[in-house]
Structures are given as structure tokens and as C-alpha cells.
Amino acid sequence: LIQYWCDLAVVGDPAHGNVAEGVLLTEDGGVLTSVAVGTAPAFDAVHLRGITIPGLVNAHSHAFHRALRGRTEGISGDFWSWRQQMYAVVDRLEPDTYYALARAVYAEMALAGITTVGEFHYLHHAPHGAHYDDANAMGNALVAAAADSGIRITLLDTCYLRGGFGRPLAATQLRFGDGSVEAWAERAESRTMGRHARAGAAIHSVRAVDRRGIEAVAEWAGRRQMPLHVHLSEQPAENAECIGAHGCTPTRLLAEAGVLTSRTTVVHATHLEAPDIASIGRSGALTCLCPTTERDLGDGVGPGLALAQAGSELCVGSDSHAVVDLFEEARGIELDQRLITRRRGHHAPSALLAAATSGGSRALGWPDAGAIAPGRLADLATVSLDTPRLAGTASPFAVAAVVFAATSADVTDVIVGGRRIVGGGHHCFIDDVGGDLRAALDPTAGDPR
Ligand SMILES: [Zn+2]
């Protein structure tokens, strides 16, 4: 039994933006058992200065894309030329190097206040598509990396069967494929998780899986009541090719194949038609926006407001990890809309905070996290209000200040299931996260094979 005394905390549903002063949290067995507001400082409680929010949830990650940071931003091109650079990184990853990279990336996430990651995992096999002795070696490396960095993971095991509409997998992509949806399911089925890990499924995109495969994955995930994620309409070319192949938009194809349910999250959803937006909203599916990646790749700005108004709960992901900062993702939802509409105030600050916390929790199958409330998992992030960025922001506006001005560097304390993994801005059991990233990203390091 541990108690935390918070100067300020966002209590209850984060979408309500209810900031309370002097909040005493009691945790037992990883779960919050009481949330008492307006208490005097408790002598033996752990003092969390600043504002404590539910742990941030990164609903869309490809851990290995972190290797591209700084190396691709200055190069001209588009999504498709960036993808070629991304494939070059894939070519040098094996289970041990994948583990080391992912552990360092997840430690960077922990420092940024992220308590749960959704890893959209498709790098399943050895070069040329050969299988490792354990066919789940790469996914298991991610599950272990999350455990060893202290955060929770939902492993979204991704079905990826072809290189595009009517095109087989080629070259690097051979590592992504299981050959058939049945073989994908058999491999995904045989995985073992841990207390910190939950299983989910993903369809890479309508490009990478044929209609029968899409239906089969949806049926498989549905039988297991698992989260199901899918990249959707990130690029206009995907829409054009889908219309050419199926006579309908990717969203309509997914709807007809039974993919869109309240357990589903569509990722990006950048280039949608009005009927697509209505269909996603009606289904209760969530939308995961990744504004920093969508900016970085020149994807465009998706209809986040229209999707939210249609009934799709929003969440966010750092996706390619051009930056790992969920405050930047959350405010990006609003600020990008402002650039398009030349108006302010589309999404309330509390709605943006909810996208980065409770929305992501639901998207990743952790509905028991995502809020500071009795019975919820004790996943917390504390943001200092004394940093140069946040000093002087008054407490009635604390949620707006955090959402619009905080960065990852302002996170001081992170608690996952009652276990402190970050204290005073430092990782509690990984001494040098920067050094680990540098080592994992040095292509000349490690034993050459
Ligand atoms: Zn992605």
C-alpha cells in the first residue's frame, strides 16, 4: 500500500478536465483504491509536485522507426521515398538488436510520461522471410523491451501479406509476411504475454491484405474481443488504388469486411470522404491521429474534428517517432485544424488530454487505465509547473497549459501500476537512456553477422 500526495491532479474522466488541489492517492496491488481531494499533505505519502495526470498512452508506435530520426527529415521526397529509407533500417535488425533498440525507445517514452504503448508490429521474420526458431522472436523482443523499460504494451500483431494491390511482397517486405492469414493467426495465437502486456491484432492496411484476409483477421480478433488496428487512408494513392481494385474507398471496404467495431482503431484516417467519416463514427471505432508524423511525411491533415463529432473517440500516437512527445501530438490535433480553418477552439484542452490518456487506453484494450479514479490502474505522470515553459501558468488553466505548452522534458515522475519508473526526470533503473539509444542506433556497433 503506497500513498501519493499530489499538489494538483486531474481526477476522474480526463475529458472533464477536473483539476483538484491536494489529492491523496492510495494504491494497492497496482490499482488506485482511493482518490481523496482537498486533503492536508500526508506525512508518509510520496509527494508529487506539479500536476499529476493519468499516464500518457502512445496508441501507435513502430519502435524501429526511431532509427530514422534526424536522418531523413532533411531529405526531399514523400511518404513513399521515406518508406525506402525505413526499409533500409529493417534490413539490419535481428531479435537481439531489435530488443536493445525497442528497450531504449520505450525508456525514452517512459521519460516522456508514457505508461502504455501500442506497438503496431509487423517485422515478424528473419531476412528473406525465413523463420527464427521461435517464430515470435521479434514480437517477444518487444514484449521484453517494454517489461525492461517499465511500461505496459499492447502488441498489435500485424497481418501483412502483400506488397500492394495485386503485388507480392518483395525484398525487405518478405520479413513482414506470414504467407497466409491462417499462418499469421497460428503464429499470433501461440504468443505468450505477461502481466504488463496484452494482445491485439492489426491489419497493416487495405494495401497489404486482400479482402478475404481482412475479413479473416476481423473475425479472429472479434472472437477474442481484442483491439484491432488498421492504417487507413494515410495517402491519396491508397484511396485511388483501392477504388481501382474494389470500386470503393478503403473505409467502405473495411466496413463491409466487418472491421469497424467499437474495438477497432483506424490510424491516420487522413484522406476521407464524408460517408467514410459517418461510417467510422457510427461504428464506435476510435481514430488514432499521429500529427507529428503526418506533418513530417507531408501526409496532410485529417478530419479529426469531423470524426470526433461523428462519434469516433480520438487517441494519439508518435508513430515514426520523429519526436516522442504526446503533448505535441495532442495539441497538434487542434493546432493543425486552426491552420486549415483560420479559427481557434475546435477541441477543448481536456478533450486533447483525454485523447492522450483515456482514448489511448481504450484503443489498446486497457479500459482499466486512463483515469485517476478508484479502481483504475495506478498509472500516473507528473508534470512540473516550475520549468521555464510552465512557470507562472495558473492552476485554473493547468490543463490548457500542459496541453499547449508542456514538452516531454517537463515530466518529472512516472508511475506504472504503482511502481515508480521515472523520478526527478530520470529513469529509475536505466541509467543512461541517451547512451542506450546511441548504442542501439550505431549501425557499426554489435557483433557483425
Ligand atoms: Zn504506422
Side-chain angles (χ1 to χ4, degrees), residues 39-94:
T39 65
F43 177 68
D44 50 355
V46 176
H47 186 184
L48 297 174
R49 293 175 171 79
I51 182 166
T52 298
I53 61 176
L56 298 169
V57 178
N58 192 355
H60 190 68
S61 161
H62 308 281
F64 71 91
H65 290 192
R66 174 66 175 78
L68 296 167
R69 186 184 298 176
R71 291 172 167 84
T72 62
E73 285 86 347
I75 301 169
S76 62
D78 60 9
F79 171 88
W80 307 102
S81 58
W82 170 86
R83 193 175 73 157
Q84 286 311 118
Q85 297 170 306
M86 184 264 282
Y87 284 173
V89 172
V90 169
D91 289 339
R92 54 173 211 262
L93 288 169
E94 300 279 353

Side-chain angles (χ1 to χ4, degrees), residues 373-400:
R376 297 296 185 103
L377 293 170
D379 292 2
L380 310 168
T382 302
V383 180
S384 172
L385 296 175
D386 294 326
T387 66
R389 287 164 292 280
L390 292 165
T393 55
S395 63
F397 308 109
V399 169

Side-chain angles (χ1 to χ4, degrees), residues 218-240:
E219 201 266 334
W220 187 90
R223 241 184 300 132
R224 287 158 185 78
Q225 294 293 298
M226 272 184 189
L228 173 60
H229 287 220
V230 56
H231 287 133
L232 176 63
S233 294
E234 183 174 6
Q235 289 289 324
E238 174 181 300
N239 291 2

